Amino acid sequence: MKRVFSGVQPTGNIHLGNYLGALKQFVDLQNDYESLFCIVDLHAITVPQDPKKLKENILDVAALYLAVGVDPKKSIVFVQSDVSAHSELGWILTCSSHMGELSRMTQFKAKTANTSNKDSIGTGLFSYPLLMAADILLYDTDVVPVGVDQKQHIELTRDLAIRVNNTVKKTFVVPEGRYIKEGARVMGLDDPTKKMSKSAENQHSRISLLDDDNKIKKSIMKATTDSEGIIRFDIEEKPGISNLLNIYSALTGEPVEDIVKSYDGKGYGDFKKDLVEVTQNSLKPIKERFNEIRHSQELIDILKDGAERADAIARKTMKRVKENFGLGL
Ligand code: TYM
């Protein structure tokens, strides 16, 4: 059976972009692949974290995985730092990487663009994609479901796997990214030229999966559109309404063209009102399940069991990696 791996950072405010770009894919893929879904806490500490808050955020993401429909009977759900091989392989890949390829990562450039003192930029932020590559390669992953913002990191992972296979010994499976058309890049509701993000200051730029109905309504009704007043899909000229159409389509499964047709002659207000309802109805069962499981022993047991199962696979890979690199006894 082919293998799927993906991860989400426990940094709070898990939003519709995370859901439509990644989490929703997890649920579909777990039926056809051996699946591992990870809460990547080691990635979260590339920027300062409050330890208490981090622990809470880890459990939030774990509970959200289950709440959206990840089934622990089908998938391995675990916390990254519970399997020490991630850090170990991360180092080995660091030694197989080049400064130049890491310097070209657009996410690193974006995250550090506003730092005035370049000397203070965290080294972890720079080497972040190597830990991500380790996550993926550790499990001989075939498919990585993510949003398109991760595409460059996936390409780097492939390059590293191919480099090691060619220069050391055939060691790694070369993975492929998987992106869903409508959900791959959900944009900010306030500024549809920027991706929806967990860290944006304006809370109305995103819809978090745990937002209440009022907040959902406010954020959507406030969403930036344009002055033309005609509902049609045009990312370049009409990024706001196109983003909302993508969200509607990704949530309902209805093709964008059909949605556009059904709103012929209607205004943005009508469409937004319906999108509010669609979003509220989509998130309701997720919130209910989240509340049931978030503080349960069941959640802890699932993560412990997941870590054990992931560790067993990771150990096997590390044995092969160390042997091929000539490491250890
Ligand atoms: P993170 O935590 O930023 O985001 C989790 C997932 O959500 C996707 N995503 C989006 N998709 C569509 N529209 C958006 N606006 C949007 N924002 C985020 C991301 O693409 C991601 O799939 N580096 C990763 C975490 C990671 C990982 C891995 C992923 C670490 N190791 C190994 C896959 C495999 C990250 O920061 O995701």
Side-chain angles (χ1 to χ4, degrees), residues 7 17 36 47 55 102 129 133 143 151 166-167 172 191 195 197 219 230-231 248 254 263 265 308 322:
L36 293 107
V47 295
K55 272 250 150 49
L102 288 180
V143 175
K151 197 169 192 170
N166 288 341
T167 58
F172 296 124
D191 178 356
K195 72 168 182 176
S197 95
S219 299
I230 297 171
I231 297 171
Y248 193 116
E254 252 181 83
Y263 283 94
E308 266 176 38
K322 286 175 77 174

Side-chain angles (χ1 to χ4, degrees), residues 5-20:
F5 180 96
S6 196
V8 174
Q9 288 195 64
T11 41
N13 292 329
I14 304 299
H15 52 68
L16 265 188
N18 302 129
Y19 177 53
L20 299 175

Side-chain angles (χ1 to χ4, degrees), residues 8-260:
V8 174
Q9 288 195 64
T11 41
N13 292 329
I14 304 299
H15 52 68
L16 265 188
N18 302 129
Y19 177 53
L20 299 175
L23 295 171
K24 211 160 174 283
Q25 296 202 65
F26 301 176
V27 182
D28 298 334
L29 291 171
Q30 67 182 347
N31 296 318
D32 302 319
Y33 292 82
E34 184 179 354
S35 305
L36 293 107
F37 301 119
C38 187
I39 298 119
V40 291
D41 55 347
L42 293 170
H43 279 102
I45 60 164
T46 51
V47 295
Q49 297 288 340
D50 168 1
K52 273 202 193 113
K53 187 82 194 121
L54 181 58
K55 272 250 150 49
E56 296 298 314
N57 285 341
I58 289 171
L59 293 172
D60 279 355
V61 174
L64 274 173
Y65 276 172
L66 304 183
V68 300
V70 170
D71 179 352
K73 290 197 189 77
K74 295 180 186 160
S75 305
I76 298 177
V77 180
F78 71 106
V79 182
Q80 186 186 33
S81 66
D82 285 340
V83 177
S84 57
H86 288 253
S87 305
E88 207 178 341
L89 184 57
W91 173 253
I92 294 172
L93 293 175
T94 301
C95 297
S96 301
S97 67
H98 306 152
M99 296 286 285
E101 60 195 354
L102 288 180
S103 308
R104 285 192 288 277
M105 293 292 120
T106 51
Q107 193 156 305
F108 171 72
K109 287 196 224 169
K111 281 196 172 163
T112 54
N114 293 328
T115 313
S116 51
N117 178 6
K118 299 289 177 209
D119 283 350
S120 71
I121 292 170
T123 316
L125 216 47
F126 185 65
S127 61
Y128 176 112
L130 300 169
L131 181 60
M132 177 161 166
D135 299 340
I136 296 167
L137 300 181
L138 194 51
Y139 298 99
D140 293 332
T141 303
D142 299 286
V143 175
V144 189
V146 278
V148 279
D149 61 329
Q150 298 300 316
K151 197 169 192 170
Q152 207 186 14
H153 293 160
I154 306 287
E155 292 306 315
L156 176 72
T157 305
R158 289 169 56 84
D159 290 348
L160 288 167
I162 292 168
R163 183 176 305 153
V164 170
N165 287 349
N166 288 341
T167 58
V168 181
K169 193 173 177 188
K170 169 121 187 49
T171 307
F172 296 124
V173 170
V174 181
E176 295 209 6
R178 187 177 188 274
Y179 316 92
I180 283 189
K181 192 171 145 240
E182 288 78 14
R185 194 166 166 76
V186 177
M187 308 308 282
L189 299 178
D190 59 337
D191 178 356
T193 63
K194 292 199 181 111
K195 72 168 182 176
M196 186 176 283
S197 95
K198 296 173 192 161
S199 56
E201 250 172 60
N202 178 4
Q203 57 154 341
H204 292 296
S205 67
R206 68 182 155 258
I207 290 173
S208 297
L209 298 189
L210 301 175
D211 278 349
D212 63 33
D213 282 354
N214 246 336
K215 158 71 175 60
I216 294 171
K217 186 173 174 192
K218 252 199 184 143
S219 299
I220 292 177
M221 296 314 287
K222 270 170 161 304
T224 302
T225 48
D226 56 71
S227 55
E228 191 191 45
I230 297 171
I231 297 171
R232 60 186 181 87
F233 190 85
D234 182 339
I235 286 278
E236 295 298 319
E237 298 295 324
K238 296 165 72 72
I241 201 72
S242 301
N243 185 40
L244 298 181
L245 281 164
N246 264 338
I247 293 174
Y248 193 116
S249 169
L251 285 174
T252 58
E254 252 181 83
V256 167
E257 306 85 73
D258 294 2
I259 302 166
V260 168

